Coordinates of all heavy atoms in Angstrom, one line a residue:
M1 N -39.3 73.2 -22.1 CA -39.3 74.1 -21.0 C -39.6 73.3 -19.7 O -40.5 72.6 -19.6 CB -40.3 75.2 -21.2 CG -40.4 76.2 -20.0 SD -41.7 77.4 -20.4 CE -41.1 78.7 -19.5
V2 N -38.7 73.5 -18.7 CA -38.9 72.9 -17.4 C -39.9 73.6 -16.6 O -39.9 74.8 -16.5 CB -37.5 72.9 -16.7 CG1 -37.7 72.3 -15.3 CG2 -36.5 72.1 -17.4
K3 N -40.9 72.9 -16.1 CA -41.9 73.5 -15.3 C -41.4 73.8 -13.9 O -40.8 72.9 -13.3 CB -43.1 72.6 -15.2 CG -44.0 72.5 -16.4 CD -45.3 72.0 -16.1 CE -46.3 72.8 -16.9 NZ -47.6 72.8 -16.4
R4 N -41.6 75.0 -13.5 CA -41.2 75.4 -12.1 C -42.3 75.0 -11.1 O -43.4 74.8 -11.5 CB -41.0 76.9 -12.1 CG -39.9 77.4 -12.9 CD -39.8 78.9 -13.0 NE -40.0 79.6 -11.8 CZ -40.4 80.9 -11.7 NH1 -40.5 81.6 -12.8 NH2 -40.6 81.5 -10.6
D5 N -41.9 74.9 -9.9 CA -42.8 74.6 -8.8 C -43.9 75.7 -8.7 O -43.5 76.9 -8.7 CB -42.1 74.5 -7.5 CG -43.0 74.1 -6.4 OD1 -43.3 72.9 -6.2 OD2 -43.4 75.0 -5.6
P6 N -45.1 75.4 -8.7 CA -46.2 76.4 -8.6 C -46.0 77.4 -7.4 O -46.3 78.6 -7.5 CB -47.5 75.6 -8.5 CG -47.2 74.3 -8.9 CD -45.7 74.0 -8.7
H7 N -45.5 76.9 -6.3 CA -45.3 77.7 -5.2 C -44.2 78.8 -5.5 O -44.4 80.0 -5.1 CB -44.9 76.9 -3.9 CG -45.9 76.0 -3.5 ND1 -46.0 74.7 -3.9 CD2 -47.0 76.2 -2.7 CE1 -47.0 74.1 -3.3 NE2 -47.7 75.0 -2.6
D8 N -43.2 78.4 -6.2 CA -42.1 79.3 -6.6 C -42.7 80.4 -7.6 O -42.3 81.6 -7.5 CB -40.9 78.6 -7.2 CG -40.2 77.8 -6.2 OD1 -40.3 78.0 -5.0 OD2 -39.5 76.8 -6.6
V9 N -43.5 79.9 -8.5 CA -44.0 80.9 -9.5 C -44.8 82.0 -8.8 O -44.7 83.1 -9.2 CB -44.9 80.1 -10.5 CG1 -45.6 81.1 -11.5 CG2 -44.0 79.1 -11.3
L10 N -45.7 81.6 -7.9 CA -46.6 82.6 -7.2 C -45.9 83.2 -6.0 O -46.4 84.2 -5.5 CB -47.9 81.9 -6.8 CG -48.7 81.4 -7.9 CD1 -50.0 80.8 -7.4 CD2 -49.1 82.5 -8.9
G11 N -44.8 82.7 -5.6 CA -44.1 83.3 -4.4 C -44.8 83.0 -3.1 O -44.9 83.8 -2.2
V12 N -45.4 81.8 -3.0 CA -46.1 81.4 -1.8 C -45.5 80.1 -1.2 O -44.7 79.5 -1.9 CB -47.6 81.1 -2.0 CG1 -48.3 82.4 -2.5 CG2 -47.8 80.0 -3.1
T13 N -45.9 79.8 0.0 CA -45.3 78.6 0.6 C -46.4 77.5 0.6 O -47.6 77.7 0.4 CB -44.9 78.8 2.1 OG1 -46.0 79.3 2.8 CG2 -43.7 79.8 2.1
A14 N -46.0 76.3 0.9 CA -46.8 75.1 0.7 C -48.0 75.1 1.7 O -49.1 74.6 1.3 CB -46.0 73.8 1.0
G15 N -48.0 75.8 2.8 CA -49.1 75.7 3.8 C -50.0 77.0 3.7 O -50.8 77.1 4.5
D16 N -49.8 77.8 2.7 CA -50.6 79.1 2.6 C -52.0 78.8 2.4 O -52.4 77.8 1.7 CB -50.0 80.0 1.6 CG -48.8 80.7 2.0 OD1 -48.5 80.7 3.2 OD2 -48.1 81.3 1.2
E17 N -52.9 79.7 2.9 CA -54.3 79.6 2.7 C -54.7 79.9 1.3 O -54.0 80.6 0.6 CB -55.0 80.6 3.7 CG -54.8 80.3 5.1 CD -55.5 79.1 5.6 OE1 -56.7 78.9 5.1 OE2 -55.0 78.3 6.4
P18 N -55.8 79.5 0.8 CA -56.3 79.8 -0.5 C -56.4 81.3 -0.8 O -56.1 81.8 -1.9 CB -57.7 79.1 -0.6 CG -57.6 78.0 0.4 CD -56.7 78.5 1.5
A19 N -56.8 82.1 0.2 CA -56.9 83.5 0.1 C -55.5 84.1 -0.2 O -55.4 85.1 -1.0 CB -57.5 84.2 1.3
T20 N -54.5 83.6 0.4 CA -53.1 84.1 0.2 C -52.6 83.7 -1.2 O -52.0 84.6 -1.9 CB -52.1 83.5 1.2 OG1 -52.6 83.8 2.5 CG2 -50.7 84.0 1.0
I21 N -53.0 82.6 -1.7 CA -52.6 82.1 -3.0 C -53.3 83.0 -4.1 O -52.7 83.4 -5.0 CB -52.9 80.6 -3.2 CG1 -52.1 79.8 -2.3 CG2 -52.8 80.2 -4.6 CD1 -52.5 78.3 -2.2
K22 N -54.6 83.3 -3.8 CA -55.3 84.1 -4.8 C -54.8 85.5 -4.8 O -54.7 86.1 -5.9 CB -56.8 84.1 -4.4 CG -57.7 84.9 -5.4 CD -59.1 84.7 -5.1 CE -60.0 85.4 -6.2 NZ -61.4 85.1 -6.0
A23 N -54.4 86.0 -3.7 CA -53.9 87.4 -3.6 C -52.5 87.5 -4.4 O -52.3 88.4 -5.1 CB -53.7 87.8 -2.2
A24 N -51.7 86.4 -4.2 CA -50.5 86.4 -5.0 C -50.7 86.3 -6.5 O -50.0 87.0 -7.3 CB -49.6 85.2 -4.5
W25 N -51.7 85.5 -6.9 CA -52.0 85.4 -8.3 C -52.5 86.7 -8.8 O -52.1 87.2 -9.9 CB -53.1 84.3 -8.5 CG -53.7 84.3 -9.9 CD1 -53.1 83.7 -11.0 CD2 -54.9 84.9 -10.3 NE1 -53.9 83.9 -12.1 CE2 -55.0 84.6 -11.7 CE3 -55.9 85.6 -9.6 CZ2 -56.1 85.1 -12.4 CZ3 -57.0 86.0 -10.4 CH2 -57.1 85.7 -11.8
R26 N -53.4 87.4 -8.1 CA -53.9 88.7 -8.6 C -52.8 89.7 -8.7 O -52.8 90.5 -9.6 CB -55.0 89.2 -7.6 CG -56.3 88.4 -7.7 CD -57.3 88.9 -6.7 NE -57.6 90.3 -7.1 CZ -58.8 90.7 -7.5 NH1 -59.8 89.8 -7.6 NH2 -59.0 91.9 -7.8
R27 N -51.9 89.8 -7.7 CA -50.8 90.7 -7.8 C -49.9 90.5 -9.0 O -49.6 91.4 -9.7 CB -49.9 90.6 -6.5 CG -48.7 91.5 -6.4 CD -47.9 91.2 -5.1 NE -47.7 89.8 -4.7 CZ -46.9 89.0 -5.3 NH1 -46.0 89.4 -6.2 NH2 -46.8 87.7 -4.8
L28 N -49.6 89.2 -9.3 CA -48.7 88.9 -10.4 C -49.5 89.1 -11.7 O -48.9 89.6 -12.7 CB -48.3 87.4 -10.3 CG -47.2 87.2 -9.3 CD1 -47.0 85.7 -9.1 CD2 -45.9 87.9 -9.6
A29 N -50.8 88.9 -11.8 CA -51.6 89.1 -13.0 C -51.6 90.6 -13.3 O -51.5 91.0 -14.5 CB -53.0 88.5 -12.8
R30 N -51.8 91.4 -12.3 CA -51.8 92.8 -12.5 C -50.5 93.4 -13.1 O -50.5 94.3 -13.9 CB -52.2 93.6 -11.2 CG -53.6 93.5 -10.8 CD -53.9 94.4 -9.7 NE -55.2 94.2 -9.2 CZ -55.5 93.8 -8.0 NH1 -54.6 93.6 -7.1 NH2 -56.8 93.6 -7.6
S31 N -49.4 92.8 -12.7 CA -48.1 93.4 -13.1 C -47.6 92.7 -14.3 O -46.6 93.2 -15.0 CB -47.1 93.3 -12.0 OG -46.9 91.9 -11.6
N32 N -48.1 91.5 -14.7 CA -47.6 90.8 -15.9 C -48.5 90.6 -17.0 O -48.2 89.9 -18.0 CB -47.1 89.4 -15.4 CG -45.9 89.5 -14.5 OD1 -44.8 89.7 -15.0 ND2 -46.1 89.3 -13.2
H33 N -49.7 91.2 -17.0 CA -50.7 91.0 -18.0 C -50.2 91.6 -19.4 O -49.6 92.6 -19.5 CB -52.0 91.7 -17.6 CG -53.2 91.2 -18.4 ND1 -53.5 91.6 -19.6 CD2 -54.1 90.3 -18.0 CE1 -54.5 90.9 -20.1 NE2 -54.9 90.1 -19.1
P34 N -50.4 90.8 -20.4 CA -50.0 91.2 -21.8 C -50.6 92.5 -22.3 O -49.9 93.2 -23.0 CB -50.5 90.0 -22.7 CG -50.6 88.9 -21.8 CD -51.0 89.4 -20.4
D35 N -51.7 92.9 -21.8 CA -52.3 94.2 -22.2 C -51.5 95.4 -21.7 O -51.7 96.5 -22.3 CB -53.7 94.3 -21.6 CG -54.7 93.4 -22.3 OD1 -54.4 92.8 -23.4 OD2 -55.9 93.3 -21.9
L36 N -50.6 95.2 -20.8 CA -49.8 96.3 -20.3 C -48.5 96.5 -21.1 O -47.8 97.4 -20.8 CB -49.4 96.0 -18.8 CG -50.6 95.8 -17.8 CD1 -50.1 95.4 -16.5 CD2 -51.4 97.1 -17.8
T37 N -48.3 95.7 -22.1 CA -47.0 95.8 -22.8 C -47.1 96.9 -23.9 O -46.0 97.2 -24.5 CB -46.6 94.5 -23.5 OG1 -47.7 94.1 -24.3 CG2 -46.4 93.4 -22.4
G38 N -48.2 97.4 -24.2 CA -48.3 98.4 -25.3 C -48.2 97.7 -26.7 O -48.8 96.7 -26.9
D39 N -47.5 98.4 -27.6 CA -47.4 97.9 -29.0 C -46.2 97.0 -29.3 O -45.9 96.8 -30.4 CB -47.4 99.1 -29.9 CG -48.7 99.8 -29.9 OD1 -49.8 99.2 -29.6 OD2 -48.7 101.1 -30.2
D40 N -45.5 96.6 -28.3 CA -44.3 95.8 -28.5 C -44.6 94.3 -28.6 O -45.0 93.7 -27.6 CB -43.3 96.0 -27.3 CG -42.0 95.3 -27.5 OD1 -41.8 94.6 -28.5 OD2 -41.1 95.5 -26.6
P41 N -44.6 93.8 -29.8 CA -44.9 92.4 -30.0 C -44.1 91.4 -29.2 O -44.6 90.4 -28.6 CB -44.8 92.1 -31.5 CG -44.7 93.4 -32.1 CD -44.2 94.4 -31.0
A42 N -42.8 91.6 -29.1 CA -41.9 90.7 -28.3 C -42.3 90.7 -26.8 O -42.3 89.7 -26.2 CB -40.5 91.1 -28.5
A43 N -42.5 91.9 -26.3 CA -42.9 92.0 -24.9 C -44.2 91.4 -24.7 O -44.5 90.7 -23.6 CB -42.9 93.5 -24.5
S44 N -45.1 91.5 -25.6 CA -46.5 90.9 -25.5 C -46.4 89.4 -25.5 O -47.0 88.7 -24.7 CB -47.4 91.4 -26.6 OG -48.6 90.8 -26.5
R45 N -45.5 88.8 -26.3 CA -45.3 87.3 -26.3 C -44.7 86.9 -25.0 O -45.2 85.8 -24.5 CB -44.5 86.9 -27.5 CG -45.2 86.9 -28.8 CD -44.3 86.3 -29.9 NE -43.1 87.0 -30.2 CZ -42.9 88.0 -31.0 NH1 -44.0 88.5 -31.6 NH2 -41.8 88.6 -31.2
A46 N -43.7 87.6 -24.5 CA -43.1 87.2 -23.2 C -44.1 87.3 -22.1 O -44.2 86.4 -21.2 CB -41.9 88.1 -23.0
A47 N -44.9 88.4 -22.1 CA -45.9 88.5 -21.0 C -47.0 87.4 -21.1 O -47.5 86.9 -20.1 CB -46.6 89.9 -21.1
T48 N -47.4 87.0 -22.4 CA -48.3 86.0 -22.5 C -47.8 84.7 -22.0 O -48.5 83.9 -21.3 CB -48.7 85.8 -24.0 OG1 -49.3 87.1 -24.5 CG2 -49.7 84.7 -24.3
R49 N -46.5 84.4 -22.2 CA -45.9 83.1 -21.7 C -45.9 83.2 -20.2 O -46.2 82.2 -19.5 CB -44.5 82.9 -22.3 CG -44.5 82.4 -23.7 CD -43.2 82.0 -24.1 NE -42.2 83.0 -24.1 CZ -41.9 83.9 -25.1 NH1 -42.6 83.8 -26.2 NH2 -41.0 84.8 -25.0
R50 N -45.5 84.4 -19.6 CA -45.5 84.5 -18.2 C -46.8 84.4 -17.5 O -47.0 83.7 -16.5 CB -44.8 85.9 -17.8 CG -44.8 86.2 -16.4 CD -43.7 85.4 -15.7 NE -43.6 85.9 -14.3 CZ -43.6 85.1 -13.2 NH1 -43.6 83.8 -13.4 NH2 -43.5 85.5 -12.0
M51 N -47.9 85.0 -18.2 CA -49.2 84.8 -17.6 C -49.7 83.4 -17.7 O -50.4 82.9 -16.8 CB -50.2 85.7 -18.4 CG -50.2 87.1 -17.9 SD -50.7 87.3 -16.1 CE -52.2 86.5 -16.0
A52 N -49.3 82.7 -18.7 CA -49.7 81.3 -18.8 C -49.1 80.5 -17.7 O -49.7 79.6 -17.0 CB -49.3 80.7 -20.2
E53 N -47.8 80.8 -17.4 CA -47.1 80.1 -16.2 C -47.8 80.5 -14.9 O -48.0 79.6 -14.1 CB -45.7 80.5 -16.2 CG -44.9 79.9 -15.1 CD -43.4 80.3 -15.1 OE1 -43.1 81.5 -15.3 OE2 -42.6 79.5 -14.8
I54 N -48.2 81.7 -14.7 CA -48.8 82.2 -13.5 C -50.2 81.5 -13.4 O -50.6 81.0 -12.3 CB -49.0 83.7 -13.5 CG1 -47.6 84.4 -13.4 CG2 -49.9 84.2 -12.4 CD1 -47.6 85.8 -13.7
N55 N -51.0 81.5 -14.5 CA -52.3 80.8 -14.4 C -52.2 79.3 -14.2 O -53.0 78.8 -13.5 CB -53.1 81.1 -15.7 CG -53.5 82.6 -15.8 OD1 -53.7 83.2 -14.8 ND2 -53.7 83.1 -17.0
D56 N -51.2 78.7 -14.8 CA -51.1 77.2 -14.6 C -50.7 76.9 -13.1 O -51.2 76.0 -12.5 CB -50.0 76.7 -15.5 CG -50.4 76.6 -17.0 OD1 -51.6 76.7 -17.2 OD2 -49.5 76.4 -17.8
A57 N -49.9 77.8 -12.5 CA -49.5 77.6 -11.1 C -50.7 77.8 -10.2 O -50.9 77.0 -9.3 CB -48.4 78.6 -10.8
Y58 N -51.5 78.8 -10.5 CA -52.7 79.1 -9.7 C -53.6 77.9 -9.8 O -54.2 77.4 -8.8 CB -53.3 80.4 -10.1 CG -54.6 80.7 -9.4 CD1 -54.5 81.1 -8.0 CD2 -55.8 80.6 -10.0 CE1 -55.7 81.4 -7.3 CE2 -57.0 80.9 -9.3 CZ -56.9 81.3 -7.9 OH -58.0 81.6 -7.2
A59 N -53.8 77.4 -11.0 CA -54.8 76.3 -11.2 C -54.3 75.0 -10.5 O -55.1 74.3 -9.9 CB -54.9 76.0 -12.7
A60 N -53.0 74.8 -10.6 CA -52.4 73.6 -9.9 C -52.6 73.7 -8.4 O -53.0 72.7 -7.7 CB -51.0 73.4 -10.2
L61 N -52.4 74.9 -7.8 CA -52.5 75.0 -6.4 C -54.0 75.1 -5.9 O -54.3 74.6 -4.8 CB -51.8 76.3 -5.9 CG -50.3 76.3 -6.0 CD1 -49.6 77.5 -5.6 CD2 -49.7 75.1 -5.3
T62 N -54.9 75.6 -6.7 CA -56.3 75.6 -6.3 C -56.8 74.2 -6.4 O -57.7 73.8 -5.7 CB -57.1 76.6 -7.1 OG1 -56.9 76.4 -8.5 CG2 -56.7 78.0 -6.7
R63 N -56.4 73.4 -7.4 CA -56.8 72.0 -7.5 C -56.4 71.2 -6.3 O -57.1 70.4 -5.7 CB -56.2 71.3 -8.8 CG -57.0 71.5 -10.0 CD -56.5 70.6 -11.1 NE -55.1 70.7 -11.4 CZ -54.5 71.5 -12.3 NH1 -55.2 72.3 -13.0 NH2 -53.2 71.4 -12.5
V64 N -55.2 71.4 -5.8 CA -54.7 70.8 -4.6 C -55.5 71.2 -3.4 O -55.9 70.4 -2.6 CB -53.2 71.1 -4.4 CG1 -52.7 70.6 -3.0 CG2 -52.3 70.4 -5.5
S65 N -55.7 72.5 -3.3 CA -56.5 73.0 -2.2 C -57.9 72.5 -2.2 O -58.5 72.1 -1.1 CB -56.5 74.6 -2.3 OG -57.4 75.1 -1.3
D66 N -58.6 72.4 -3.3 CA -59.9 71.8 -3.5 C -59.9 70.4 -3.1 O -60.8 69.9 -2.4 CB -60.5 72.0 -4.9 CG -60.8 73.4 -5.2 OD1 -60.9 74.3 -4.3 OD2 -60.9 73.7 -6.4
A67 N -58.9 69.6 -3.4 CA -58.8 68.2 -3.1 C -58.7 68.0 -1.6 O -59.2 67.0 -1.1 CB -57.7 67.5 -3.9
R68 N -58.0 68.9 -1.0 CA -57.8 68.7 0.5 C -59.0 69.0 1.3 O -59.3 68.4 2.3 CB -56.7 69.7 1.0 CG -55.3 69.1 0.9 CD -54.3 70.0 1.6 NE -53.4 70.5 0.6 CZ -52.7 71.6 0.7 NH1 -52.8 72.3 1.8 NH2 -51.9 71.9 -0.2
R69 N -59.9 69.9 0.7 CA -61.1 70.2 1.4 C -62.2 69.1 1.3 O -63.1 69.1 2.1 CB -61.7 71.5 0.9 CG -61.0 72.7 1.4 CD -61.7 74.0 1.0 NE -61.0 74.5 -0.1 CZ -61.5 75.3 -1.0 NH1 -62.7 75.6 -1.0 NH2 -60.7 75.7 -2.0
R70 N -62.0 68.2 0.4 CA -63.0 67.1 0.2 C -62.8 66.0 1.1 O -62.0 65.6 1.7 CB -63.0 66.6 -1.3 CG -63.5 67.7 -2.1 CD -63.5 67.3 -3.5 NE -63.9 68.5 -4.4 CZ -63.8 68.5 -5.6 NH1 -63.4 67.5 -6.3 NH2 -64.2 69.6 -6.3

């Protein structure tokens, strides 16, 4: 699987503030969380993969943001 740019995953731009990045992550987490899929195993697996991508993107961007503040 080809990794997408974290900015594209979260729908933010490169210069956005940490608060904007966190808000984008929260919005996506609320709409893509696996608990929202009900009893459909296939939908749950897809949502789990999507959440992993969202969480990885958030982690990558917060690491970059933390490094810039130091």
Side-chain angles (χ1 to χ4, degrees):
M1 176 182 210
V2 175
K3 283 199 142 200
R4 292 174 41 200
D5 182 80
H7 296 96
D8 292 339
V9 172
L10 295 181
V12 297
T13 58
D16 283 344
E17 295 291 321
T20 304
I21 294 168
K22 185 173 186 174
W25 171 78
R26 289 179 64 112
R27 177 181 42 80
L28 289 169
R30 283 189 188 121
S31 62
N32 291 284
H33 199 279
D35 288 349
L36 301 175
T37 60
D39 293 332
D40 184 359
S44 180
R45 283 190 298 276
T48 299
R49 284 191 299 273
R50 177 74 174 130
M51 275 304 302
E53 181 181 37
I54 292 166
N55 288 334
D56 287 347
Y58 179 70
L61 293 180
T62 55
R63 276 193 304 270
V64 168
S65 176
D66 288 345
R68 272 192 245 156
R69 280 188 260 154
R70 292 180 184 170

